[in-house]
């Protein structure tokens, strides 16, 4: 596949993403037809089906790209260094804030009810949590502590993105780390 072909595919996908997102603002994913999506994107149905099988495949790819951005934001975090963790959590919150409408749809479970599980099962997040809780030997206790910290943090994230007067990503990162730290018994 040549450079021009790659550019054409990228442009086509961008048109589909934009049309899909426009429609998602107005109606549920179940109500979006491929005909309507193609019409708004300015492509034909054959072109759409060359890339996707359904509107759910478009959503899955968009969510995967979003999760990839979040994973890159927390790569190489030194879990022993609180400043490094704070910096990386702040970067994640910037990704969320920079994609606020899509983040809101995903995190409020209006599109993908398993998004929280997908987000927190990112290997980078699991690695951070396991390293931070390495001293806990009982696997059930460790799993319960991780679940409590993760899903409690997720609720705090939901509240943050839904607050029209939200604090900065850095302030929210501090709150999340403080609360998760209390739940996990981390020392500040």
């Amino acid at each position: 596949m040549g450079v021009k072909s790659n550019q054409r595919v990228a442009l086509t996908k961008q048109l589909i993403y934009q049309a899909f997102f426009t429609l998602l603002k107005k109606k549920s994913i179940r109500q979006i037809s491929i005909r309507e999506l193609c019409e708004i994107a300015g492509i034909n149905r054959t072109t759409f089906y060359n890339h996707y099988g359904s509107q759910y495949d478009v959503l899955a790819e968009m969510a995967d790209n979003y999760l990839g951005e979040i994973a890159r934001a927390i790569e190489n975090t030194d879990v022993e260094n609180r400043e490094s963790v704070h910096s990386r959590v702040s970067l994640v919150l910037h990704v969320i804030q920079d994609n606020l409408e899509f983040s809101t749809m995903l995190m409020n479970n209006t599109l993908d009810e398993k998004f929280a599980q997908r987000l927190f099962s990112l290997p980078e997040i699991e690695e951070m949590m396991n390293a931070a809780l390495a001293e806990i030997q009982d696997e059930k206790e460790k799993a319960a502590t991780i679940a409590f910290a993760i899903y409690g943090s997720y609720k705090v994230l939901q509240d943050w993105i839904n607050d029209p007067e939200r604090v900065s990503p850095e302030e929210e990162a501090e709150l999340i780390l403080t609360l998760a730290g209390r739940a996990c018994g981390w020392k500040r």
Side-chain angles (χ1 to χ4, degrees):
M1 197 185 288
V3 172
K4 285 193 185 250
S5 182
N6 286 340
Q7 289 173 336
R8 240 180 291 133
V9 168
L11 176 60
T12 299
K13 287 188 171 199
Q14 191 59 39
L15 291 170
I16 292 169
Y17 290 169
Q18 289 170 346
F20 182 67
F21 192 66
T22 297
L23 289 168
L24 277 176
K25 290 178 189 179
K26 299 174 187 171
K27 54 177 75 176
S28 81
I29 191 169
R30 286 180 225 81
Q31 297 171 319
I32 296 174
S33 72
I34 301 305
R35 181 196 54 74
E36 181 180 33
L37 181 57
C38 291
E39 190 176 294
I40 291 173
I43 62 170
N44 64 47
R45 288 168 57 112
T46 303
T47 301
F48 177 86
Y49 286 116
N50 283 337
H51 300 285
Y52 304 102
S54 72
Q55 65 272 40
Y56 294 95
D57 294 338
V58 177
L59 172 61
E61 186 171 275
M62 288 175 73
D64 287 347
N65 291 341
Y66 178 84
L67 289 170
E69 263 191 85
I70 289 174
R72 284 186 294 284
I74 57 177
E75 281 179 333
N76 305 317
T77 302
D78 177 1
V79 296
E80 301 296 322
N81 180 325
R82 190 175 198 290
E83 290 306 312
S84 175
V85 173
H86 183 273
S87 170
R88 296 304 179 161
V89 172
S90 294
L91 285 174
V92 167
L93 294 174
H94 276 284
V95 169
I96 291 168
Q97 184 172 271
D98 291 347
N99 299 284
L100 191 61
E101 285 183 294
F102 191 57
S103 298
T104 302
M105 287 182 198
L106 285 171
M107 294 184 134
N108 287 337
N109 299 319
T110 57
L111 294 178
D112 181 353
E113 61 191 37
K114 296 189 181 200
F115 180 73
Q117 291 170 304
R118 292 181 66 207
L119 173 63
F120 289 112
S121 66
L122 286 172
E124 294 81 0
I125 292 179
E126 286 183 352
E127 184 180 320
M128 283 175 59
M129 293 298 293
N130 282 321
L133 298 171
E135 71 280 355
I136 298 177
Q137 298 303 310
D138 183 281
E139 289 304 315
K140 279 187 173 185
E141 180 184 347
K142 183 185 283 189
T145 304
I146 289 172
F148 187 81
I150 284 174
Y151 289 102
S153 297
Y154 191 74
K155 174 63 174 135
V156 171
L157 275 176
Q158 281 180 317
D159 292 347
W160 179 68
I161 64 168
N162 290 314
D163 185 350
E165 297 175 22
R166 80 187 57 79
V167 297
S168 72
E170 291 74 19
E171 290 173 279
E172 190 68 10
E174 183 62 34
L175 175 64
I176 289 169
L177 291 174
T178 298
L179 295 174
R182 286 181 190 156
C184 297
W186 298 331
K187 294 177 178 61
R188 286 187 48 101

